[in-house]
Amino acid sequence: MSTVRFHKELKVFQRSFEMAMQIYELSKSFPKEELYSLTDQIRRSSRSVSANISEAWGKRKYEKSFIAKLTDSEGEARETQTWLQFALACEYINAEQFGKLHNEYNQIIGMLVTMIGQSEKWCSFSSLNKEDDNLYHD
């Protein structure tokens, strides 16, 4: 069994990073008047999901800090879903784009909730193996 050593090995990190890049590309087409409001906000919140996962991984020696950063990440994912809802309502994205991204964030949120619920496992440096959880990239 191989042990997870870096946050980049986590499927939840990889997926959240990929979604942030998709949102970045999509948001390039948002109107200029949205640059400092919706565009900036959705880019920041989507990027913050991955950033908080990275921070959580670095703080896993302290279980409460680990949980707090994953909780922040979950909150940022939910915020991103709200900005996506605004983008749909303003007709900057279509229903298909919204549905795909919203569903992806639901899955990311589910992974984060699972990690929070199993925090003792993630914070135990001796028992964490790739085969133990479905939150890794195969």
Side-chain angles (χ1 to χ4, degrees), residues 13 57-58 76 118 134:
F13 175 85
W57 190 255
E76 294 292 341
Q118 299 174 355
N134 191 23

Side-chain angles (χ1 to χ4, degrees), residues 19-29 43 46-47:
M19 290 304 100
M21 293 307 299
Q22 285 185 28
I23 285 174
Y24 171 75
E25 288 301 323
L26 256 178
S27 66
K28 285 181 178 181
S29 66
R43 287 178 180 178
S46 66
R47 290 171 177 170

Side-chain angles (χ1 to χ4, degrees), residues 15-83:
R15 288 179 80 169
S16 64
F17 189 90
E18 182 183 323
M19 290 304 100
M21 293 307 299
Q22 285 185 28
I23 285 174
Y24 171 75
E25 288 301 323
L26 256 178
S27 66
K28 285 181 178 181
S29 66
F30 290 3
K32 294 291 180 212
E33 65 265 18
E34 291 285 9
L35 185 60
Y36 297 108
S37 52
L38 179 60
T39 304
D40 187 50
Q41 291 287 5
I42 198 168
R43 287 178 180 178
R44 285 175 185 252
S45 65
S46 66
R47 290 171 177 170
S48 196
V49 177
S50 303
N52 279 300
I53 292 167
S54 299
E55 283 189 65
W57 190 255
K59 293 182 176 189
R60 70 193 188 284
K61 181 177 179 182
Y62 307 101
E63 190 172 356
K64 288 182 181 181
S65 295
F66 176 76
I67 291 170
K69 293 313 294 183
L70 289 181
T71 301
D72 290 346
S73 185
E74 179 191 351
E76 294 292 341
R78 292 182 189 281
E79 179 181 342
T80 301
Q81 287 181 313
T82 301
W83 294 124

Side-chain angles (χ1 to χ4, degrees), residues 1-2 9 13 27 42 52 54-56 61 71 79 82-83 88 92 98 103 106 114 126 130 136:
M1 284 195 223
S2 61
E9 297 174 44
F13 175 85
S27 66
I42 198 168
N52 279 300
S54 299
E55 283 189 65
K61 181 177 179 182
T71 301
E79 179 181 342
T82 301
W83 294 124
L88 176 65
Y92 303 149
F98 172 81
N103 183 53
N106 277 340
T114 298
S126 62
K130 286 186 179 180
Y136 300 98

Side-chain angles (χ1 to χ4, degrees), residues 94-125:
N94 62 42
E96 183 180 341
Q97 292 167 316
F98 172 81
K100 181 181 180 296
L101 290 166
H102 195 270
N103 183 53
E104 284 290 329
Y105 275 99
N106 277 340
Q107 292 179 32
I108 289 166
I109 289 165
M111 290 181 202
L112 292 168
V113 168
T114 298
M115 287 180 79
I116 292 166
Q118 299 174 355
S119 60
E120 70 287 341
K121 177 173 124 179
W122 293 96
C123 295
S124 169
F125 289 84

